[in-house]
Amino acid sequence: MLPAIFHRFLMTLRNAVRLFAPALVFCVPLCTVAQQKPASQNVGCGAPPVVAPDLRPNFFSEQQEEWLGEAMADQVESEFRLIRDPAENAYLQGIVDRLAATLPDTHIHFHVQLIDSPEVNGFSLAGGRIYLTRKLASEAKSDDELASVLGHEMGHIASHQFAFETTRDLKKLMGVTSVGDRADIFAKFQQLDDARLRAHTSSGGDDDDKQEEADHIGVYVIAAAGYRPQASAEFWDRMFFTKGKSGGTLSNFFGFSKPNERRLGKIQKLIATLPSGCGGQQAVQSAGFAAWHERVLENRGVEAAHIDGAQEIPLTPPLRMDLDRLRFSPDGSKLLAQDESTIFVMDRDPLKVDFKIDAPNALAAQFSPDSKRVVFTTHGLHTEEWSIAQQKMMQVHEPLTKNPCVQTKLSPDGRTIVCLALNPESYWMDLSLLDSESGNVVWQKNNFFQPSLFFAFLMYFTDGSEVAGDFVPSSFSPDGNYLLIGPDDSKVAFDLRTRTPVRLGGALMNKATGAYAFLGNDRIAGVNRADPKNSGIYSFPEGKQLKKVDLPFSKLKAVSAMDGSSYVLSDGYKDFQISLSNVDAGRVMLGSESEALDVWGGMLASENRDGHVVLAKIDVDKLNGIATVQPPESQLARLYSVALSPDGQYLAMSTRTRGGLWNLRTGKRMLYLRGFHAAWNGDDLMMEFPKREKQDAMLVDASMKTMHAGPVKYALGDMTVDYGMLDEWKDAKDAGRHAQDLIVHRPNDGSELWRRTFSEGRPYYTASYGWKDLLFSFHLNSSYAKAQVKGDATLTAEAAAVKKKDDGRLIEVVDAGTGKTTASVVMELSKAYAGTNGLNRVGDLLYASTEDNRTQVYSLKDGRLVRQMYGAMLGEDVATGRICLRNREDEAVVYDASGKELAHAEMGTPLRFAAFVDSGSKVALLGADQVVRMVPIRSTPPMSVASAK
C-alpha cells in the first residue's frame, strides 16, 4: 500500500476534479454504424415499461427537455473531437431508430453522435442526445452489442432522468419554480452550474437507481427490436473484465462483490424476466457492420466543411511544424520523421519523401526489425501497421486494458503493447504485455513498483493527454528485439520475439538507478542518479560494468546505430533541447534545438532551422553534409505565437523553432525566420527572438509601410514583448521586500513610457485582445484590494454584495498606452473561473472564461453578471463590441455586444486562431489545415453552414 498521505492526496485531486464534471450520466460502453431497416415492435415482449413516473416534480415539457439537451451539448461537446463522418454516425442512427420504434410515442428525437476518445464509454444528455466513444465502438463485435449500449442510454433519456434531477437542483439550489423558452433554459442551466459548484454537488448521474432504471428500459427495447438481449450482459462482462462473476446473495450482503459484478448480475436477472420468445435468438450483424467497423477502427478524417460566403486563403507555403522524432530503419535504407500530427517515411539514398501518414495522436512511431513496415500506437492503444512498399495501412487494432495505461510502448514488430498502469486497489504500478491484435495479456507483473508522490502527481495530471510522457525509464535495442523498462532495481528486460523476460544481473540492476539507453544490442549506458560520476557502460543482459563513465544526465535515448558505436541522445546543454553524446569518449558531440536526431552507420540525421531534414557524415570533429529534404505540410499544431495586423493583411505565426509572415491578400509567405514571439505596433511587426547559443535575445522591427526590417537600435536588457507591449519587471527600490515595478517602454526607442509599483509583488494580469487594455486581478482578501475598496464608496458597495468572499476579485482595467486605471470593479466570479488569462474587456463589459467551457459577461459599471455563453473567447472588435468564441474544436461563434448570435461557422478542421478585420465586418479564422477563412458577419440571419461533404 502507498503511504496514507499519498492516498489522501490522490483522492483529494479526484474529488476536486469531480466538482467540475459536467452534468451528464456516464454509462455502459457500446456503439456501431450502419443503415438499418426499421423493425416493428416484437409483440412477444408485451407492454413497454413505464418510462415517466409522475411522482417526481418535473418543470420540463419534452420540447423544453430538448432545449436543456442543447445547453448540455454546448457545454460537453467542447471536451471531445466530434466524428463528423456521416457514414459512421448514420449506421448508429439506424440502430437507434429501430430501438426507438419500440417505445411509446414521444416528441423527443433520439440522436447519436460518435466522438473520438480513448475511453470505453457511452453517455447521454437530455432531449435524446446519445454519445458513443470511438474506442467503445471499436470494441463491439455485432449490432446486438451496439444496441445494448444505445438501448441503455435511451433508457436514461426515455425515463426523463435529466429533467427530474435538473428540476430538483433548480428548486433546491436556486429556488426556481419554472422554466421558460430556450434562452431562459440556457441561462438557468448555466446558473445551475455555478450553484452546484458552490454547493459542492453534482447531478448525481451515477446513482444505482438511475442505472437500474435505464437497464430496465434498455433491455426491453433491445429485445423488442429483435436484438439479442443477452448481448448486454456479454458486452458488459467483456468491457469490465468481470470474467462472468455476477455476485450472489451472500457475497453481495457481505460486500465481497465488486460494483461491476453486481451490475452484471442485475442485467442478467432483467434478461431472465423477459417473456419467452422476446428478443432475437441469433446474433444480429447487418451486411454493413464489417465495413463500418473497419471505418471506425481506421479513424480517417473526412473532407472539411464549407462555410457559405467565406473567402479561403491557403498559406503558401505552409508553416512547417517542429519535428519531434527522426529514426533510421534498422537496415539504414529509410528514415522516419514525426511531428505532432504526421509521420513521414523517406528514402535515405537518394534522400526523398516517400509518403506521409496522418497520425495526430500517435506516440513514437518505429520501423519494424525487417525495415519493411512502420508501426505506432496511441495512449488509447489504437495501433496501426503500414507497409512501406505499398504505402498503405495493412493492420489496425484497438485492444482494451482493464486499467488505463499511464505509459505505453509498442514493440517495433507491432505485436506487443507494453502497458504500465496504476493498480486502483494497491496504488502500485502494474506492468503488462498485451498482444496488440487480440488484447490478450501474455505477461503481467502486478505491483511492479511503488510510485513516488511526485511520480503520481505527474501521472495523474497527464493521464489521457496527447503528449507522450515517459515517466519510467525504458529503451528498445536498435534491432528491436529487446526492451528494458523500469526504475532502479525494479528493471525488467524482455525478448520481444518470444515475449518472455530476460534474466538481468550484475551492477546494471543496482548501479544504473537513473536514465539508461542501449548502445548497440549488447550494451547499456546507465546513469547512477546519486553519483553520476560513478555511472557506466554495462553488458546486456549480464549487467557487468564494462566501463565507469561520468554521465551527468537526467535522460538518455538510444540511437538506431547497431555498429557498436557509443552514441546516445542526452539532455541538452546551453540553449539546446537535446545533445548527441559519445559515452565512450565521455563528451558531448553536438547540441540541437530540435528533439529530432538520430545516428546510423556513421551518418547523422537531424532537422535544421528551416525545417529541412539534413543527412550528414560524422567525421572525427565535424559533420559533412550529404543531402537535405523538406517534408510536406502537416496539420498546424500548437503555436508559440500568432498575430494578425490591424488591417487584416499580414499574419505572423511561429512554432518554438521557426515562424513566418504571410500576406493574406495573396496567401504567399513573405518572411521565413527562426522562432519568435510576435506583436503588432500599428503597422510595425515586433518580433522578439530568444537568446540562442552566442546570440543574445533580439527585438526586430519590421515595417509594413517601408517593407524594411531590422533589429531595434537599443539594448533590450530585461525587456520583453509581453501582451503586445515592451515591458520589464524589476525589484522596486525602497518600496518593501516584495515590491515590484512594471515598466512599459516605447517600442521605437526603448524609452520608458510608464511604470507602476506593486508593493505585494507581481500581480496576476493579462491583456485584452488587441492589447489596448491591461487587466489586473486582485483577490478581494488581499491587502491591496482591501485598501482600494476602503477608499471608494462604489467599490465598498460592490464588495458588500459579494456573498462568497473567496470568489471575490478586484479587477482593474489599465490603459496599456498610459498606465492609467480606466475602470475598477469588484465582482464575484464563478468557482470555475479559469484565471486571469481568461479575462477580456470590451467596452463596458468584462468577459471571463471558466474551466467548464463558459464565458461569463460582467458589467464593469457595477460588477453584475449580465449573461453567460458557451465557449472560450478568441477575439474581439472594440469598435463594434463583437466577440468570437470557440466552442467545439472546429466551431467559431460570433456575438454582438448584446449577446445576439451573428455568425456560426463549423470549420471541419480544428480552429487555431481568430481575429476581426474590416471594422468588425469579417472574422479571420485560421484552421489546422493552414487555410485562413475570411467569414462575413451579417446582422441577420445567422450564417448558414453546410455540413461536411
Side-chain angles (χ1 to χ4, degrees), residues 43-279:
V43 294
C45 295
V50 176
V51 297
D54 293 329
L55 300 178
R56 291 174 283 180
N58 184 2
F59 295 159
F60 296 87
S61 66
E62 289 186 329
Q63 174 62 75
Q64 289 172 318
E65 203 170 329
E66 288 200 355
W67 290 334
L68 175 63
E70 289 178 30
M72 289 178 166
D74 269 356
Q75 181 182 46
V76 170
E77 289 182 2
S78 67
E79 300 295 324
F80 305 98
R81 184 180 75 83
L82 304 182
I83 295 177
R84 299 189 186 275
D85 182 356
E88 293 182 58
N89 289 307
Y91 188 91
L92 292 171
Q93 190 63 44
I95 297 176
V96 167
D97 292 343
R98 177 169 167 174
L99 295 172
T102 69
L103 289 170
D105 290 340
T106 176
H107 296 292
I108 290 178
H109 302 91
F110 293 97
H111 171 76
V112 64
Q113 172 67 57
L114 198 61
I115 58 179
D116 193 15
S117 170
E119 295 183 0
V120 178
N121 210 349
F123 62 90
S124 49
L125 304 178
R129 295 176 179 268
I130 303 169
Y131 299 84
L132 295 183
T133 65
R134 193 191 60 78
K135 182 72 173 180
L136 183 148
S138 68
E139 298 299 331
K141 295 183 178 180
S142 67
D143 290 351
D144 298 284
E145 292 189 344
L146 289 171
S148 68
V149 176
L150 293 168
H152 173 87
E153 300 305 334
M154 293 173 71
H156 283 294
I157 297 165
S159 56
H160 305 284
Q161 291 178 4
F162 302 96
F164 291 134
E165 68 190 23
T166 305
T167 296
R168 177 201 66 202
D169 288 352
L170 285 171
K171 287 183 64 178
K172 179 180 178 181
L173 302 177
M174 294 172 54
V176 170
T177 57
S178 66
V179 293
D181 60 11
R182 182 179 184 274
D184 181 63
I185 288 172
F186 266 66
K188 283 187 169 69
F189 181 68
Q190 293 188 77
Q191 293 164 15
L192 182 59
D193 281 338
D194 287 321
R196 283 170 170 164
L197 288 171
R198 290 197 169 96
H200 299 283
T201 186
S202 65
S203 63
D206 292 329
D207 294 351
D208 287 344
D209 58 342
K210 293 184 177 66
Q211 300 296 348
E212 290 182 28
E213 186 175 34
D215 282 337
H216 187 57
I217 297 169
V219 167
Y220 169 82
V221 299
I222 294 162
Y227 294 104
R228 285 182 63 247
Q230 292 81 5
S232 296
E234 294 164 359
F235 198 40
W236 181 274
D237 185 37
R238 195 169 77 249
M239 291 302 96
F240 290 95
F241 298 87
T242 49
K243 299 181 180 181
K245 296 178 181 179
S246 56
T249 304
L250 289 178
S251 61
N252 290 345
F253 178 80
F254 288 106
F256 297 144
S257 301
K258 296 179 181 179
N260 288 338
E261 295 171 354
R262 293 195 294 272
R263 179 83 177 277
L264 175 62
K266 291 176 181 179
I267 294 173
Q268 291 171 336
K269 288 180 180 179
L270 283 172
I271 296 170
T273 61
L274 290 170
S276 178
C278 176

Side-chain angles (χ1 to χ4, degrees), residues 83 119 145 168 180 196 286 388 408 420 451 466 474 575 581 593 600 619 627 634 722 767 848 862-863 896 902 910:
I83 295 177
E119 295 183 0
E145 292 189 344
R168 177 201 66 202
R196 283 170 170 164
S286 68
I388 295 175
T408 304
L420 190 68
E466 296 178 359
S474 64
D575 299 315
S581 297
E593 293 180 350
W600 183 93
D619 286 338
S634 58
D722 191 18
D862 57 16
D896 66 12
L902 301 179

Side-chain angles (χ1 to χ4, degrees), residues 697-709:
M698 180 173 56
L699 182 63
V700 171
D701 186 346
S703 171
M704 297 299 102
K705 284 188 175 181
T706 64
M707 290 296 159
H708 173 77

Side-chain angles (χ1 to χ4, degrees), residues 147 648 788:
Q788 298 302 307

Side-chain angles (χ1 to χ4, degrees), residues 779-891:
H779 199 284
L780 193 56
N781 292 327
S782 68
S783 299
Y784 178 83
K786 289 179 179 178
Q788 298 302 307
V789 169
K790 185 177 181 181
D792 187 300
T794 300
L795 295 179
T796 299
E798 292 169 356
V802 173
K803 297 178 181 178
K804 300 287 186 180
K805 300 302 181 185
D806 286 344
D807 298 330
R809 296 291 189 281
L810 168 66
I811 306 296
E812 288 189 346
V813 181
V814 174
D815 188 303
T818 65
K820 295 181 179 179
T821 299
T822 59
S824 295
V825 65
V826 173
M827 57 185 60
E828 185 175 351
L829 293 168
S830 168
K831 283 282 188 185
Y833 168 56
T836 310
N837 286 340
L839 293 179
N840 281 279
R841 182 260 184 99
V842 186
D844 290 330
L845 298 175
L846 182 74
Y847 293 83
S849 296
T850 66
E851 293 178 338
D852 55 0
N853 192 46
R854 288 175 289 152
T855 292
Q856 299 183 315
V857 188
Y858 295 87
S859 168
L860 278 171
K861 295 181 178 179
D862 57 16
R864 178 177 52 91
L865 178 63
V866 177
R867 59 181 169 274
Q868 302 187 58
M869 297 165 287
Y870 284 112
M873 195 159 165
L874 279 186
E876 66 179 45
D877 183 69
V878 176
T880 62
R882 292 175 174 176
I883 64 167
C884 179
L885 302 185
R886 174 178 56 200
N887 190 8
R888 296 151 184 91
E889 70 164 11
D890 61 348
E891 176 185 79

